[in-house]
Amino acid sequence: MITYLINIVRRQYAFLKDRLDRVSLIEEMSRDFLLLAPIEESSLPQTITESLRTRVFNQLGKLALKYVKTILDTPALIFFREEDGSLKVWAKSSVDLEITEKENIAAAWTLNNGEVSGAGTHTCADTSFYFIPMKSLDGIIGVLGILCNSKDLFPEQRRLLGTIANLTTFVAVGWMSRKAKGN
């Protein structure tokens, strides 16, 4: 009986340690993402220049991919919606990472429909990437693409990838609204 109880306590300890590690990761992610967010209305001019926007979106994409890599050591990329409604790749985990027209179509479908698509889903399942929409209250602003089958992910990995997409969206919307105010 004592051995049985010891095993239960060990499993609970391992579970709590994993949960604490995930909470720490989310805390670190949040801090890094929020350092990129415009804090006060008076801290920046009402409009941002295209070069500043490019620099911020590149940094934001790279930061998101850094945290994707801590969850899954697999290639990934970040798309953001352009002003004309098209998608543009803003960050890749590797310069050698190439995507096909099939993947572009799946990413565009995710952008337009606000649902996951790609490998392991019912939509665009013949692609090798799994696409997660980056949603805000105003709409979908981008897509996170991961070179993996969503069926191979643990539920906790899916939740953490969703958290990365949400934090990226939160910061990106702050910068996008800066651009919109000047137009």
Side-chain angles (χ1 to χ4, degrees), residues 1-180:
M1 181 66 131
I2 291 176
T3 304
Y4 175 75
L5 292 174
I6 289 172
N7 286 334
I8 288 175
V9 169
R10 283 184 182 156
R11 283 196 315 261
Q12 287 176 337
Y13 173 78
F15 173 78
L16 290 173
K17 184 179 178 328
D18 286 345
R19 187 166 204 134
L20 181 61
D21 290 344
R22 288 190 299 270
V23 168
S24 296
L25 177 70
I26 292 170
E27 179 185 9
E28 182 183 336
M29 253 190 314
S30 299
R31 190 178 10 217
D32 286 348
F33 278 115
L34 290 174
L35 288 175
L36 291 176
I39 303 298
E40 297 177 15
E41 287 296 318
S42 61
S43 67
L44 286 173
Q46 288 302 309
T47 60
I48 60 172
T49 64
E50 194 59 34
S51 66
L52 178 59
R53 179 181 182 269
T54 299
R55 201 167 56 233
V56 167
F57 277 51
N58 281 334
Q59 287 178 347
L60 183 56
K62 288 176 185 173
L63 189 57
L65 294 179
K66 169 188 164 187
Y67 286 104
V68 167
K69 187 171 177 68
T70 64
I71 297 165
L72 292 172
D73 193 13
T74 186
L77 42 89
I78 299 282
F79 296 87
F80 284 113
R81 181 189 299 264
E82 293 295 297
E83 289 179 16
D84 65 0
S86 66
L87 271 179
K88 177 182 176 187
V89 175
W90 279 86
K92 296 180 189 181
S93 59
S94 166
V95 291
D96 299 335
L97 184 61
E98 294 294 326
I99 56 172
T100 66
E101 187 59 30
K102 239 192 262 190
E103 278 100 21
N104 280 322
I105 290 169
W109 188 92
T110 296
L111 180 75
N112 294 326
N113 293 283
E115 296 180 28
V116 296
S117 72
T121 69
H122 297 293
T123 308
C124 305
D126 58 339
T127 67
S128 52
F129 279 83
Y130 171 55
F131 295 102
I132 302 169
M134 294 169 30
K135 297 180 187 180
S136 75
L137 294 175
D138 299 328
I140 297 113
I141 61 138
V143 176
L144 169 62
I146 301 132
L147 186 60
C148 73
N149 187 314
S150 67
K151 291 179 181 177
D152 296 336
L153 297 174
F154 293 112
E156 189 62 31
Q157 289 173 313
R158 276 194 222 100
R159 280 192 292 275
L160 287 171
L161 292 170
T163 299
I164 292 170
N166 291 338
L167 287 171
T168 305
T169 301
F170 176 75
V171 176
V173 165
W175 286 98
M176 287 177 166
S177 67
R178 289 261 176 220
K179 179 81 173 169

